């Protein structure tokens, strides 16, 4: 799983250190994937159920081309995740991306951040849907539900910080995870200077996941 960045721009923690699980969000999100694949396979086997990826099980239920279709869906989910995270990462400096704490010295409402407060976390949800299909159905549920919980919890930390610093107007104008249809205009916000190179460099991991699923999809298409 690619590291998650605080969705605001700053150079120093705004109101003291964030909760430990936020500071170690790279590991906590990784733990969700570990639990999904490890315990998903383990418990499925203990229950005597077939230890087969959800993409294969559910694909078989959809008919002869079901698995091919679901591999394509998984790739599209991963592609959306990569695009969202790359777009968002292009607006975030390295000191923001790798900072352990939630930051809020400047209010960035530009690019994807003018549609949704947490585009990287939204990307995580699409990535969970894509990668989770490679685990058994139980593992898929653990991966997706765990990532939803983490996205809400991480976004909640940042929402409380931004609400305290900028008031309720920003939260009301820009949704946390469900994008609005048009870009928001928030008084006191700043414009970003996007760097595509920075965004691409920050999302090598999600790009590799999308590429792997593309290969799996093509393999499923050409297999008899």
């Amino acid at each position: 799983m690619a590291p998650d960045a605080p969705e605001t721009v700053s150079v120093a923690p705004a109101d003291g250190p964030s909760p430990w699980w936020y500071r170690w969000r790279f590991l906590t999100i990784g733990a969700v994937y570990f639990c999904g694949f490890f315990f998903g396979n383990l418990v499925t086997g203990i229950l005597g159920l077939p230890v087969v990826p959800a993409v294969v099980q559910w694909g078989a239920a959809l008919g002869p081309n079901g698995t091919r279709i679901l591999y394509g869906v998984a790739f599209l989910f991963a592609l959306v995740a990569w695009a969202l995270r790359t777009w968002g990462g292009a607006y975030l400096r390295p000191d923001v991306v790798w900072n352990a704490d939630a930051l809020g010295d400047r209010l960035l409402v530009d690019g994807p951040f003018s549609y949704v407060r947490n585009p990287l976390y939204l990307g995580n949800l699409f990535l969970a849907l894509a990668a989770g299909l490679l685990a058994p159905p139980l593992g898929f549920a653990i991966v997706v539900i765990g990532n939803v919980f983490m996205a809400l919890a991480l976004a909640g930390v940042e929402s409380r910080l931004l609400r305290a610093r900028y008031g309720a107007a920003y939260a009301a104008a820009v949704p946390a995870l469900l994008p609005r249809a048009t870009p928001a205009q928030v008084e006191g916000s700043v414009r970003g200077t996007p760097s595509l190179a920075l965004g691409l460099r920050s999302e090598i991991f999600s790009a590799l996941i999308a590429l792997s699923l593309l290969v799996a999809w093509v393999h499923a298409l050409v297999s008899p």
Side-chain angles (χ1 to χ4, degrees):
M1 189 66 195
D4 283 275
E7 305 288 348
T8 56
V9 178
S10 178
V11 293
D15 292 311
S18 300
W20 69 267
W21 49 266
Y22 186 101
R23 294 175 61 84
W24 293 93
R25 60 194 177 279
F26 315 113
L27 294 180
T28 53
I29 291 175
V32 170
Y33 279 89
F34 173 81
C35 290
F37 280 86
F38 181 80
F39 291 109
N41 282 279
L42 179 64
V43 174
T44 297
I46 291 175
L47 294 176
L49 300 173
V51 184
V52 178
V55 65
V56 175
Q57 288 193 46
W58 296 341
L62 292 176
N65 294 314
T67 299
R68 296 183 179 94
I69 293 171
L70 284 188
Y71 268 119
V73 169
F75 166 66
L76 290 178
F77 280 149
L79 187 63
V80 170
W82 171 80
L84 277 171
R85 292 184 57 87
T86 299
W87 190 18
Y91 282 81
L92 297 177
R93 302 192 308 270
D95 61 311
V96 175
V97 174
W98 299 105
N99 199 293
D101 292 296
L103 308 174
D105 287 354
R106 290 192 294 160
L107 183 62
L108 175 65
V109 184
D110 195 11
F113 298 94
S114 61
Y115 294 91
V116 61
R117 293 200 303 272
N118 304 283
L120 273 68
Y121 300 157
L122 178 59
N124 281 1
L125 300 183
F126 280 98
L127 200 60
L129 289 169
L133 283 171
L134 302 179
L138 176 60
F140 174 85
I142 293 173
V143 168
V144 173
I145 294 172
N147 270 277
V148 169
F149 175 81
M150 284 301 302
L152 292 173
L154 293 168
V157 171
E158 297 169 10
S159 293
R160 288 189 291 273
L161 169 64
L162 293 171
R163 187 179 295 272
R165 189 166 282 248
Y166 300 105
Y170 172 61
V174 186
L177 289 171
L178 295 177
R180 51 181 286 147
T182 58
Q185 302 292 328
V186 179
E187 184 178 356
S189 64
V190 298
R191 304 283 293 180
T193 304
S195 168
L196 179 59
L198 179 62
L200 292 172
R201 285 200 303 270
S202 67
E203 289 306 318
I204 293 175
F205 189 79
S206 60
L208 290 175
I209 293 177
L211 181 61
S212 298
L213 285 169
L214 174 60
V215 171
W217 183 30
V218 171
H219 181 267
L221 289 173
V222 300
S223 295

